[in-house]
């Protein structure tokens, strides 16, 4: 299975065998663009994907020593994500599938973050619990079986990765290696108890998340310490020792509280999940932020205290990658969920479906937040409800 991923700022492709062998894995990152423009600008991200997509896919095939003729199918992320970016990957997948007459599997990006854990840990059977933490999503999911997910919690505003990225930018860190990794590194030098940021949403006894308030607390701390003459142009490379120390203290204190919020929500989700599915043995933690060592260490305590096991894919499979898309494609393909090959002569402007806003599962009724924000526009029914209605038919 060839897997193609272009939903956000990484262009990635990989070839994976049905037995889980990874034959190749290629990622081209837009970190440079991100550090220059301070975030993902859709039009620029689209251009960056278009520029490299052919090479990335070709290298994935070359590294695997395969041609399109050797593939069984192509899997590609069709949502959620930025439409302009998703389109680049889907167009490439359809062109290739058309030429070699291959079936296509449309993949849900967040499902792929969760399922890649099953490639790493072969004992990981359904049902299991998953915490998915990335730049755009914060999800607690109970995975009943393939394609059937119950959403125990989500974020009512920003995801944790977004909070890491913003804090890193405000602290003047080198964003070329990514905001999250830069902040994790600086936090090692700081005192995590120096600032008492408050833990979000404690009064809400559910499994939802919020990071917008913590971001504001961080901004106020930075302003009150006057470490930065301006929030936008204050590279840490120019900071003196005291200034660097202050920034490290903020980084460490931010990280402590950002992760405490995850710990508290996971503890409650484990309790809820065990009531719904007492046979659960694993908590999967995946998505870009799961590559953070502090996050992994803290969550492993929570998991152990509850007698469960943590499955956290290696960092290269936590951040966006083609392997997770190929593997999720394999899982669905093997039970017959795929689309027939597109026509070999499909015109460039042919219509196909993208799902930029696409929930993964159905909301757990007790998990709905009273503190709901307005970010609720739903364009598509969830993956799970689509699968349930097609199973009924
Ligand atoms: O899953 P991902 O690669 O892309 C999305 O689907 O969003 O996650 C990207 C996010 C970014 O916000 C990035 O800063 C964060 O994951 N991230 C980290 C670390 N590595 C990546 N956050 C904290 N610590 C890290 N080591
Ligand atoms: Zn992702």
């Amino acid at each position: 299975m060839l897997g193609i991923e272009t939903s956000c700022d990484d262009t990635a492709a990989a070839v994976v065998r049905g037995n889980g062998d990874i034959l190749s894995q290629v990622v081209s990152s837009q970190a440079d663009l991100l550090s220059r423009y301070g975030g993902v600008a859709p039009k620029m991200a689209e251009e960056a994907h278009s520029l490299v997509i052919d090479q990335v896919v070709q290298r994935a095939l070359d590294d695997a020593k395969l041609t399109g003729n050797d593939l069984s199918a192509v899997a590609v992320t069709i949502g959620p994500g930025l439409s302009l970016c998703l389109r680049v990957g889907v167009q490439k997948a359809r062109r290739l599938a058309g030429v070699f007459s291959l079936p296509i599997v449309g993949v849900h990006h967040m499902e792929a973050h969760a399922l890649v854990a099953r490639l790493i840990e072969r004992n990981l059977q359904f049902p299991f619990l998953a915490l998915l933490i990335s730049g755009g999503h914060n999800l607690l999911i109970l995975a009943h079986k393939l394609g059937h997910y119950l959403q125990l919690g989500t974020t009512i505003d920003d995801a944790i990765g977004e909070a890491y990225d913003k804090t890193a930018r405000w602290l003047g860190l080198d964003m070329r290696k990514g905001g999250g990794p830069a902040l994790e590194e600086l936090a090692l030098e700081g005192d995590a108890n120096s600032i008492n940021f408050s833990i979000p949403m404690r009064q809400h006894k559910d499994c939802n998340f919020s990071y917008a308030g913590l971001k504001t607390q961080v901004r106020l701390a930075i302003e009150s310490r006057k470490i930065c003459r301006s929030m936008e142009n204050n590279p840490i490379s120019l900071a003196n020792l005291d200034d660097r120390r202050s920034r490290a203290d903020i980084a460490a204190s931010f990280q402590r509280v950002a992760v405490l919020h995850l710990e508290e929500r996971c503890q409650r989700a484990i309790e809820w999940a065990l009531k719904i599915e007492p046979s659960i043995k694993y908590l999967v933690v995946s998505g870009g932020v799961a590559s953070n060592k502090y996050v992994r260490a803290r969550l492993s305590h929570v998991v152990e205290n509850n007698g469960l096991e943590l499955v956290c894919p290696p960092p290269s499979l936590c951040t966006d990658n083609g392997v997770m898309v190929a593997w999720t494609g394999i899982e669905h393909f093997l039970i017959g969920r795929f689309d027939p090959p597109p026509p070999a002569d499909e015109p460039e402007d042919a219509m196909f479906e993208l799902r930029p806003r696409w929930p993964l599962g159905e909301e757990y009724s007790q998990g709905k937040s009273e503190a709901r924000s307005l970010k609720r526009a739903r364009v598509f029914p969830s993956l799970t409800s689509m699968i349930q209605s097609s199973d009924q038919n």
Side-chain angles (χ1 to χ4, degrees):
M1 181 77 67
L2 169 70
I4 299 178
E5 159 62 42
T6 61
S7 67
C8 189
D9 52 343
D10 292 314
T11 317
V15 181
V16 179
R17 261 193 222 286
N19 65 4
D21 288 349
I22 299 171
L23 301 185
S24 63
Q25 183 179 4
V26 182
V27 181
S28 162
S29 145
Q30 298 180 14
D32 259 2
L33 274 184
L34 280 178
S35 75
R36 256 180 289 155
Y37 299 105
V40 183
K43 196 71 196 144
M44 251 175 303
E46 177 200 19
E47 275 169 26
H49 284 304
S50 301
L51 219 56
V52 298
I53 186 75
D54 288 339
Q55 297 162 37
V56 166
V57 170
Q58 193 54 51
R59 247 189 61 211
L61 288 171
D62 291 348
D63 290 357
K65 302 194 173 51
L66 299 176
T67 72
N69 277 319
D70 305 309
L71 296 171
S72 305
V74 182
V76 60
T77 305
I78 57 171
L82 298 165
S83 317
L84 284 174
C85 297
L86 290 165
R87 181 176 303 281
V88 176
V90 175
Q91 248 163 2
K92 176 69 191 177
R94 292 184 72 86
R95 244 180 291 134
L96 202 89
V99 171
F100 293 99
S101 195
L102 300 169
I104 292 202
V105 191
V107 168
H108 191 296
H109 182 84
M110 299 313 289
E111 183 186 34
H113 272 307
L115 292 189
V116 75
R118 278 162 54 83
L119 182 154
I120 298 307
E121 173 56 67
R122 295 307 171 89
N123 293 326
L124 176 57
Q125 305 286 339
F126 292 101
F128 62 87
L129 183 62
L131 170 70
L132 307 176
I133 37 182
S134 69
H137 297 268
N138 244 76
L139 289 174
L140 268 162
I141 293 288
L142 197 173
H144 287 293
K145 57 180 183 168
L146 182 61
H148 294 252
Y149 307 102
L150 183 64
Q151 181 183 296
L152 302 180
T154 182
T155 179
I156 62 161
D157 42 51
D158 299 326
I160 183 170
E162 149 79 17
Y164 264 91
D165 292 338
K166 269 284 156 41
T167 302
R169 172 163 294 278
W170 290 337
L171 292 175
L173 307 192
D174 181 356
M175 301 293 285
R176 278 172 304 183
K177 50 184 150 187
L183 192 129
E184 177 181 10
E185 203 180 309
L186 180 67
L188 293 173
E189 298 172 27
D191 172 1
N193 292 304
S194 56
I195 306 171
N196 218 354
F197 294 128
S198 56
I199 303 172
M201 304 261 293
R202 282 201 128 168
Q203 70 282 24
H204 297 283
K205 308 285 179 214
D206 57 37
C207 294
N208 292 300
F209 301 88
S210 163
Y211 281 95
L214 181 57
K215 260 170 48 183
T216 306
Q217 292 184 63
V218 167
R219 215 190 57 231
L220 294 174
I222 293 175
E223 283 168 1
S224 72
R225 260 144 236 261
K226 301 198 177 64
I227 43 176
C228 314
R229 289 175 306 278
S230 102
M231 300 269 286
E232 288 305 323
N233 189 14
N234 58 343
I236 194 161
S237 51
L238 301 181
N240 62 29
L241 270 182
D242 273 356
D243 181 348
R244 187 180 175 93
R245 175 80 211 197
S246 289
R247 296 190 203 201
D249 285 348
I250 293 175
S253 303
F254 157 79
Q255 177 161 260
R256 181 178 61 83
V257 174
V259 178
L260 267 173
H261 187 29
L262 296 181
E263 292 169 52
E264 291 187 351
R265 285 358 225 181
C266 279
Q267 176 60 42
R268 182 168 295 118
I270 291 171
E271 289 159 18
W272 284 9
L274 286 174
K275 277 197 196 124
I276 307 168
E277 289 271 17
S279 63
I280 284 178
K281 296 203 171 42
Y282 292 94
L283 171 70
V284 168
V285 181
S286 183
V289 183
S291 52
N292 180 301
K293 291 202 188 68
Y294 180 80
V295 171
R296 295 161 93 103
R298 297 293 306 192
L299 291 174
S300 78
H301 284 306
V302 176
V303 169
E304 277 165 26
N305 290 343
N306 286 279
L308 301 183
E309 268 184 61
L310 179 72
V311 183
C312 200
S316 65
L317 298 181
C318 279
T319 50
D320 287 352
N321 64 84
V323 173
M324 67 183 198
V325 179
W327 176 252
T328 302
I330 288 169
E331 293 229 31
H332 283 284
F333 185 74
L334 290 176
I335 57 168
R337 264 189 223 126
F338 53 82
D339 293 328
D345 55 355
E346 189 170 73
E348 279 287 303
D349 58 355
M351 299 287 280
F352 47 80
E353 197 176 64
L354 301 171
R355 300 173 186 166
R357 282 174 173 273
W358 187 20
L360 177 56
E362 292 301 281
E363 267 180 312
Y364 183 44
S365 55
Q366 287 173 43
K368 292 194 174 140
S369 175
E370 307 142 21
R372 270 278 176 224
S373 77
L374 296 173
K375 273 195 182 173
R376 301 217 60 202
R378 270 197 180 191
V379 176
F380 283 93
S382 74
L383 171 72
T384 295
S385 69
M386 285 176 166
I387 286 177
Q388 275 164 348
S389 58
S390 83
D391 286 353
Q392 274 159 17
N393 292 337

